[in-house]
Structures are given as C-alpha cells and as structure tokens.
Amino acid sequence: MATSLGVFIGSNRQTQVFAYGQGTLAYAAGTTVALWDPLSSQGVTTTLKRHTAPVTAVAFIGNTMVSAGEDNQVVLWQDHKVAKIVDIHRKSVTVLAVAEDHSFFISGATDKQMAVISPQGDVLQVIELPFYPLAIAITKVSADNYVIAVGGTKHNIYIYGGAVGSFAQLQQLPGHEDWVKCLSFRSSGPEEWVLASGSQDRYIRLWRLQVGNAVAADDDSQLVLLSNKQHKFTLGSGLDAAFTFDALLVGHDDWISGLQWHPTRPELLSASADTALMVWASDAESGIWVPRHRMGELSIKGASTATGSSGGFWGCLWLNDAQGERVLTSGKTGSLRMYQMLGDSDTFVPAPGVSGAIREVTSVKWSPQGDFVYATSLDQTTRLYASSNGRYREFGRPQIHGYDMVCLDNLSADGATFVSGGDEKVLRVFKMTSSMAKMLHNQCGIDGLSADLPTTAAVPVLGLSNKAETKAPSAEAEADDTNETQEDVLATLEHPPLEDILQKYTLFPELEKLYGHGYEISCVAVHPSYSLIASACKSNSLKHAAIRLFSGAPDYQLVPTPLSGHTLTVTSLAWNPSGTHLLATSRDRSFSLWKLIDAATAQFELVLHNQKAHTRIIWDGAWIDDTRFLTCSRDKSVKMWSVNSPETAVSSQSFAAPVTAIDTWQSTHFVAGLESGDISVGTVNDSALQVTTEIADSDTPAGRVNSVAFAPTPAAMVVAAGSADHSVRVWRL
C-alpha cells in the first residue's frame, strides 16, 4: 500500500487554467488536471489523467468539471472520473466559458469554431468564427436570450446572442489595439450589465450593456464619439440591446491576462504579465475607476512580453467562502499564488499556495540522511522538498539557471552540498546557506547540517554566478530597517516559504564550475566518500561517450584519463555502497563495470563491458549491495547481475511497458518507474525479483518516470519520483 506524502506540479501558462467549484481548486498541470483544497494544508491531492497533450482550460458547470486541451478534446468529469469526451474540435481548444445559469457552456478552439455544449456533453450548436478565440464571456439578459462576448486574435470584441442553439453574430465593439485576452460580465442593475475586456494593448475597457427599456433612444442633436456611441443590436423576440463604452482602466505595464468581477461587489480583479494583481473599484465621489489594492511583484525594468519576457501572471480568480476573502493567480514559475484579506484591515497579504515544476522533472535525489530531496527539471530549476507536519513541501529553490537541468548528486554527507549538470556542458557545485539550514531545522526538525556554511547567496554586479557571502552586514545595512536579509526572512518564517521567498531568498551559492564535456551533461554520480565525481554527456561517438572524472573538494580537478568504451550516450552512473565499483549504462544497449584500483590517482580497471545485456536502450542502473546490481531497459525488463559473473543475468523481471528508472532499498526491495507512468515496487532475494505492489493509477504520473529514489532511511520506505508530466511525487510504502 502506498500513501501519498506530496504531489508537486506547476500550473500551465495559459489564461484560463484554473477554476473553483465544490470546495476544490482545479488547475491545468501539464497533461493533467490537478486538484487542491485551498482551505487545507494538504497541497495537491490528486491529478486527473485523460488528456494526451497540455490542458489549456478548466471550468465547473454544476457538479461537473470540464477540461480542454491541445489534444482537441473537451472532457467532462464527475467524481474524478471521465463522464464524457466531446470530440468536436479539429485543433487545440483555447477557451471555456460557462453560462451563469449553468444551462450550457462554450468551448473555443484554433479551428476557428465555438461549440455550444450542454452540461451532459451534447453539442447544441457550432459557430464559425473569423479569428482564433482567446476569451469568451456569457450573460443571460432575458428568459430566453443570452449575450456572448468573444475576443481573440482580432482587435474588436465580437458579440453573439439569441436563444440557446440559435446564436448569431450581432455586433462588434471597436477600441482595443491588440488581441483581446480576457472578458468578464457583471450585472449592474435592472436590464444593465458591465462587460470588462482586457487586451495585449495593456488596457482594460469597461462596456455598459443595456437591454429593453434601458436602451436610450438616438439623439440626433448629440455629437457621436467613440466614447458615447451606442453599438445597437436586436436579440430574439425583438429585444433591443446596446453596448456603450464606459471607462478605460490604465495602470498595468504589460499584457492583461485575466479579469474577474467580485461575486457580490462592483470590484474588478485584474492580472497582468507585468507581475501585478490589482483590484479596481469606482471612486465614490468622482466615479473614476482606481486600483484599491495591488499585489504581486515589481516588474523588472525593460522586461516585457515585447522584449521576450515570459514572466508575469496568467489569469486570476476570486475565492470567497467561510474562510474569508482571497484572490488567486498563477505565475511564470508554475506556482499558484494566493492572497488573503487580513481581518478587517482591508489589506491583502500572501497566503500559502502550491508550487511545482512546469516542465519535465529529470532527476530526484535524497540527501544522504533522507531528510530532504532535491529535484532537477527542464524548467531550469533545482528544487528542495522536505517534510513538515507529515507532509512534504517545497522549502528551497537552490538553483535557478539559464539552461535545462538534467541531473544532480550529493557532494557532502549532510546533503548541504550538491553538484548538478544540464544542457550547459558544465557541472556546477552548490552549497546551502546557514539561513536555509536554520529554516530546515526550525520547520522540519532537520539537524546535522554543517556549521561551516555561507550566510547568504548574492549575484554580484555584472556577474552570472551566485556567490557566497559570509561577512557581517555593513553598519549602513544594519542601520537601514528596510534592508531585510535572507537570514532575517527565513529565520522568522512560521510556514513553508511562499513563492516570492523561494525565488529571492533560498538560492544556494555556487562554489565551482567543472569543465571537460563537449556536449550536454546526461548523468552524474558522486563516490560514497565524496572524493570523486563521475559524469557523462550526450554523444553519438566513442570520443564523447567517455565517462569523465573530477576530484572532490577542495580541488575539483579534472582527471586526465577518461573511462572509454561506450559508443552512445551514457544514460546513468552508479557507485556501489563501498565505492569499489562504478556501473555505467548506455543507449548503446550495454553496461560497463569499472573497478576502482586507486582512489588517489583515480585509476580504474574495466571488469566487463557487457554488450548483450539488453536488446534495447538501458535507461538506468542501481546497486542492491556491494556485489549485485539492477539494470532497466526499453525492452520492458529489469535484470539482476552479480559482480562475480556479470556476463549473465542472475534474474529478470518483465513489465508491461519500458522501464525507465530503478532504485533499491535496504538490499531487500526495488522500485521501478515505467514509460507509461506506472510505478512498481518489488522484493529482491539472492536469485529472483518479484513485484509485490503497484501504486494506484490515481496516484501515479501521467507520463514517463524519469527518476525514482528511495530515501536512505531504514525505519520507513519513502520513495520519490520525478516524471515527464512535470511532477515530483513522494509516497510512504
């Protein structure tokens, strides 16, 4: 049996990727829909698997959740199970919108179509559009008539309306100067509504919709300008309606990505790519719309979507329930940020959200004591997860890099130092700060971290590498009350760090760069004594498929003679517990076994290069004990080998899919991660492997498992997995 201790997966970078219903926050995370209860401290509870491409939009209609994705499908969910799949679109679905009375919903896609769909999944109408839809808003204006506003890759807002099943285009609203990204309706009185529209032109426009008797008659004596022009149209049954431009909201510095009206008050929440979240309200005296609250971060000067920045916030949401008033947004790092109204102070303060990688997680590695786990990702980060109050949470972002990260390993007995590699062709060594160590002690009870740690990490002017700082702050800094140091911030935290702190204050200083590889790093493994570092890079030739060695601290020198023999990329490296042998697996379907003759001079002897070990690529290898090891392959098998006779496998276990990751625990158990996302746990004896546990499908990843690792703790079996579905997951077995 497996108990989930934590699921960490980032939100997709789209404008409509989260929705709140039935006490659950659902958000698009890779190809899955992640579920989170914002009122609990449990984090993500599960991920729903059905889509085969990234999910782009999520919505609730009654008791049904709806998701749409780049796989062209609209999926209806009930009780976490697929109720129906609507396969009407030919291209990626970009937007979902639900009627306020929940009588239907609309999906829009890049096939330039809108589909009107019932709550049961029946297609009621398909509407051809002259552009790609990015935003849709619906409001009911009479017993039988609805008004639908559609924005997208045109500058105008297109208005559709009528009865369900017979919607037609009725009007266009000019004014925006770029694509329209978000729309939201709100009732403002009898026969009156307000439509808010946000665009890439950085402006928010408010439009007043009037129907029936509220529509003003034309006055030929009045000068007609864009600001007071009535955009009239007629709905079914001869019902007159008109839109009038009402207000222009200026304050954001970049694309508007999200708009949501407050459920009960005339206040508008906006999110922007300038990393700001604002609450707008009309001034009581002047009637001018002004921002009452501003949350988020100050944007970097000159950084915008026009200059190639992918930052900022993507969408926004009000969360109002018994716990008070909160707002939610997602950012470029994949985190869901929440801000809560502080009592009666009319002030929003940051509140705990959820975080995770936004691209493939490539490697997970426990600290030598099993206190915390590192994870690298193709989203160019290395993250640290630790247990607090029985649940794992993200406590550090030790490396934020400019290249995709692929692998890492510990470089000290306490886990405070690690070496990582990625697409940069360079290995980098990092060391934890004393402020991080104090926070892990205070919140997670982790002791034994080295006392000889740098105080903080800083990036020098015109520098690219974060450097250690151990000296005390200057007198000027101490006198400046606003100069909050990393140590001050982390020492006073009473909960796991929020996203802004993770980015600013949990960085590890870099100690060394290790050069020697000609291509992107593929794997790294550190000797149990931390005296040698073995690494390999991507290759399709004998020359670059060599294993290169570096000495450990404090020299970190390249050993002149590499270990050669493989002809394609070495996929994994693993030392046996005593450090006498090094195992290498490769894409050339072979493994090599090397014996360390002299650690001081890094002399090795090739024990065997088994070129018939598997019939397909060998993805990973792991040691059971000093003399036995496992290899796993695309040929859907895990094989056990002995150092004493490595030519022939001792045992073999077959699986239903290619096996992509392997690890062992206490010489008695193994865990295997599959390309399908399944995870199997089994036992090891002298001559056989046997699968005993399959982690439930609802708890496993939706994509290839890239790395699995048992915590090296004899008291409990805890395993972590990093996967292509962007997730890091931790279980107790």
Side-chain angles (χ1 to χ4, degrees), residues 560-721:
T561 306
L563 308 182
S564 300
H566 289 287
T567 57
L568 294 175
T569 302
V570 173
T571 55
S572 75
L573 293 165
W575 296 90
N576 68 343
S578 63
T580 59
H581 289 79
L582 175 66
L583 170 68
T585 65
S586 172
R587 294 181 70 95
D588 63 12
R589 308 179 182 183
S590 70
F591 72 78
S592 58
L593 186 62
W594 302 83
K595 183 176 182 180
L596 180 60
I597 304 300
D598 187 345
T601 59
Q603 289 186 342
F604 285 81
E605 174 187 43
L606 179 61
V607 177
L608 177 74
H609 186 181
N610 190 328
Q611 301 190 39
K612 296 182 179 180
H614 289 269
T615 59
R616 303 293 299 275
I617 291 171
I618 305 178
W619 285 122
D620 201 4
W623 289 87
I624 302 169
D625 49 37
D626 259 351
T627 60
R628 295 178 300 159
F629 59 91
L630 302 176
T631 58
C632 64
S633 168
R634 184 179 279 174
D635 66 9
K636 304 181 182 180
S637 71
V638 172
K639 293 185 178 182
M640 180 167 63
W641 309 82
S642 171
V643 170
N644 300 322
S645 56
E647 300 87 356
T648 306
V650 176
S651 177
S652 179
Q653 174 70 50
S654 297
F655 292 83
V659 188
T660 51
I662 194 81
D663 197 26
T664 63
W665 181 79
Q666 298 293 304
S667 304
T668 58
H669 289 77
F670 74 91
V671 58
L674 276 58
E675 192 172 80
S676 60
D678 294 333
I679 293 179
S680 300
V681 181
T683 57
V684 178
N685 59 36
D686 292 339
S687 59
L689 305 170
Q690 183 178 0
V691 174
T692 57
T693 304
E694 298 276 357
I695 294 181
D697 181 69
S698 59
D699 287 338
T700 55
R704 167 192 164 118
V705 180
N706 289 323
S707 179
V708 290
F710 273 115
T713 50
M717 293 176 65
V718 177
V719 65

Side-chain angles (χ1 to χ4, degrees), residues 177-427:
E177 299 174 356
D178 207 335
W179 294 0
V180 178
K181 299 292 289 291
C182 42
L183 296 163
S184 182
F185 271 112
R186 181 186 186 275
S187 174
S188 60
E191 299 185 318
E192 286 196 2
W193 291 260
V194 177
L195 171 66
S197 61
S199 166
Q200 290 182 178
D201 63 9
R202 309 182 181 188
Y203 298 129
I204 300 169
R205 289 177 173 266
L206 301 184
W207 309 82
R208 188 167 301 278
L209 169 63
Q210 298 171 313
V211 300
N213 296 327
V215 179
D218 292 331
D219 185 355
D220 295 336
S221 65
Q222 185 178 13
L223 180 64
V224 178
L225 303 173
L226 179 62
S227 60
N228 63 1
K229 179 181 178 181
Q230 282 190 318
H231 302 276
K232 291 187 175 182
F233 54 96
T234 302
L235 293 162
S237 305
L239 182 64
D240 292 331
F243 274 98
T244 308
F245 175 65
D246 194 53
L248 181 69
L249 279 54
V250 182
H252 285 294
D253 298 325
D254 209 338
W255 295 359
I256 310 298
S257 58
L259 292 173
Q260 285 285 324
W261 287 102
H262 191 278
T264 59
R265 299 193 303 269
E267 294 183 357
L268 180 66
L269 176 66
S270 66
S272 169
D274 64 3
T275 325
L277 200 64
M278 292 188 185
V279 177
W280 302 80
S282 178
D283 181 71
E285 295 184 1
S286 66
I288 297 174
W289 285 81
V290 294
R292 292 186 59 236
H293 303 282
R294 188 189 190 282
M295 296 149 277
E297 303 172 1
L298 293 175
S299 58
I300 301 172
K301 183 177 177 61
S304 70
T305 48
T307 60
S309 170
S310 61
F313 291 152
W314 297 74
C316 56
L317 190 67
W318 289 96
L319 296 177
N320 297 308
D321 47 34
Q323 294 295 318
E325 194 140 306
R326 293 163 295 161
V327 295
L328 184 91
T329 186
S330 61
K332 66 175 182 179
T333 60
S335 65
L336 291 183
R337 302 192 188 198
M338 189 160 63
Y339 298 87
Q340 185 165 8
M341 183 71 77
L342 191 61
D344 299 325
S345 65
D346 197 33
T347 301
F348 282 97
V349 297
V354 293
S355 65
I358 56 173
R359 292 186 63 195
E360 280 195 41
V361 177
T362 49
S363 179
V364 291
K365 189 70 177 183
W366 289 92
S367 65
Q369 308 305 319
D371 295 322
F372 52 86
V373 60
Y374 291 111
T376 60
S377 170
L378 297 184
D379 71 356
Q380 305 184 349
T381 64
T382 299
R383 302 173 187 241
L384 184 153
Y385 303 95
S387 178
S388 174
N389 297 321
R391 189 81 184 180
Y392 279 81
R393 293 170 173 82
E394 184 177 353
F395 275 92
R397 199 81 51 83
Q399 186 179 9
I400 302 174
H401 205 44
Y403 290 84
D404 297 354
M405 300 307 303
V406 174
C407 56
L408 86 164
D409 202 358
N410 294 291
L411 256 178
S412 63
D414 59 0
T417 307
F418 71 87
V419 57
S420 65
D423 285 354
E424 190 189 10
K425 311 174 190 177
V426 178
L427 292 167

Side-chain angles (χ1 to χ4, degrees), residues 451-524:
D452 182 24
L453 296 174
T455 305
T456 62
V459 180
V461 178
L462 301 180
L464 298 176
S465 301
N466 37 307
K467 298 298 183 183
E469 289 187 349
T470 55
K471 62 182 180 181
S474 64
E476 292 81 1
E478 290 181 339
D480 184 3
D481 293 337
T482 64
N483 185 30
E484 199 171 30
T485 66
Q486 180 187 41
E487 193 165 19
D488 295 335
V489 171
L490 298 184
T492 57
L493 279 181
E494 298 180 355
H495 50 72
L498 306 181
E499 181 63 24
D500 55 341
I501 294 176
L502 286 170
Q503 291 188 66
K504 295 178 183 177
Y505 298 110
T506 62
L507 196 68
F508 285 16
E510 180 185 310
L511 303 183
E512 291 287 341
K513 298 182 185 69
L514 310 182
Y515 299 93
H517 290 290
Y519 293 94
E520 298 89 339
I521 307 297
S522 60
C523 55
V524 64

